Amino acid sequence: MEKMSATAGKPAGNENEAALATPFVKCLTRLIRAHDAYGWQDGASDAELLANFIITEEQRREIPIIGDPDPDVMLRLNIFYTAVGLTIEARTGLVASPTIMISHEGFGRVLLTTGRLVVFSKTVRDVHRFGFAKLRKLAEAGSKLVDDAIAAIEAYPEVARA
Amino acid sequence: MEKMSATAGKPAGNENEAALATPFVKCLTRLIRAHDAYGWQDGASDAELLANFIITEEQRREIPIIGDPDPDVMLRLNIFYTAVGLTIEARTGLVASPTIMISHEGFGRVLLTTGRLVVFSKTVRDVHRFGFAKLRKLAEAGSKLVDDAIAAIEAYPEVARA
């Protein structure tokens, strides 16, 4: 059994390392540390800082979607899209700012804009359950948003600078 | 005295009539009636429906800007920008949807987007005091937003349809 879990754990470990090395996740962890004004998590590793972003399918089902979304989950949603914006800025030099409108029922809209260009727009629901099944999924989701946004900026460069 | 107030009232009356006849204000009053689900204001004139949008300079100063903005004022802010969006849609055939993000302190951002184009973007503050000194000012502000948005759509037609 021990041997089995050791070999099973290896690819996951490499996978997590690769995820933590992406520019998006690096930016996200920097942002989480910046929000940690009292230094409560100074000793935490990057993976530990991101632990709250990881929600397994089982955990997800257990989170009720009635009532207001938890303020902590709203903060995570905010930090996630701010990290997307900052990574876009690092790569293009253009400020991409998130505008997030979430109703009391956890339903709403997320927009990322650069100049007059909407680089990302999404209707979100069940915000209560915001999270990713794995660190790799988190890295992929954020990196894909960054890539799509940069493709939009390249398609409409003058609007992004208007 | 009677005669004086009669002559003084005349231009204001004409001014209000002109304001009420603008496409933007017509759309706004239609929207307010649509929100009046219980028909409480069925007998109200258009000017009466808009009364809460009119705040004199003196009234404005009396409204405290601490604590959460009143839910009624948030609804008015929402209806105002939705009416701007609907008037744009009536004139261009393109859906312009507002995204409003206001913090607990009454500070935030209003975006109106059409396709991938940001047709309007504004940082708002002191939302507690949202209102206009006169009906004419309300009509002018809304109509200007509509005109500016349409100018932006005409400048970037393919982005507005992306």
Side-chain angles (χ1 to χ4, degrees), chain B residues 72-131:
Chain B
D72 287 349
V73 94
M74 289 301 293
L75 181 62
R76 282 200 290 279
L77 188 80
N78 225 307
I79 289 184
F80 177 82
Y81 287 106
T82 304
V84 173
L86 287 175
T87 315
I88 295 168
E89 192 182 345
R91 277 179 55 188
T92 63
L94 297 170
V95 176
S97 48
T99 304
I100 301 175
M101 175 171 70
I102 307 289
S103 77
H104 292 292
E105 291 89 22
F107 181 90
R109 238 182 134 188
V110 179
L111 287 180
L112 265 168
T113 58
T114 300
R116 275 199 175 271
L117 185 66
V118 177
V119 293
F120 171 72
S121 168
K122 193 185 177 187
T123 301
V124 291
R125 60 189 187 91
D126 300 347
V127 161
H128 315 67
R129 294 176 173 174
F130 176 71

Side-chain angles (χ1 to χ4, degrees), chain A residues 78 97-102 109-111 113-120 148 152 156 158-159 162, chain B residues 78 97-102 109-111 113-120 148 152 156 158-159 162:
Chain A
N78 226 306
S97 48
T99 304
I100 301 175
M101 174 171 71
I102 306 288
R109 238 182 135 186
V110 179
L111 287 179
T113 58
T114 300
R116 275 197 176 271
L117 186 65
V118 177
V119 293
F120 171 71
D148 289 353
Y156 305 107
E158 79 287 5
V159 189
Chain B
N78 225 307
S97 48
T99 304
I100 301 175
M101 175 171 70
I102 307 289
R109 238 182 134 188
V110 179
L111 287 180
T113 58
T114 300
R116 275 199 175 271
L117 185 66
V118 177
V119 293
F120 171 72
D148 289 353
Y156 305 106
E158 79 287 4
V159 189

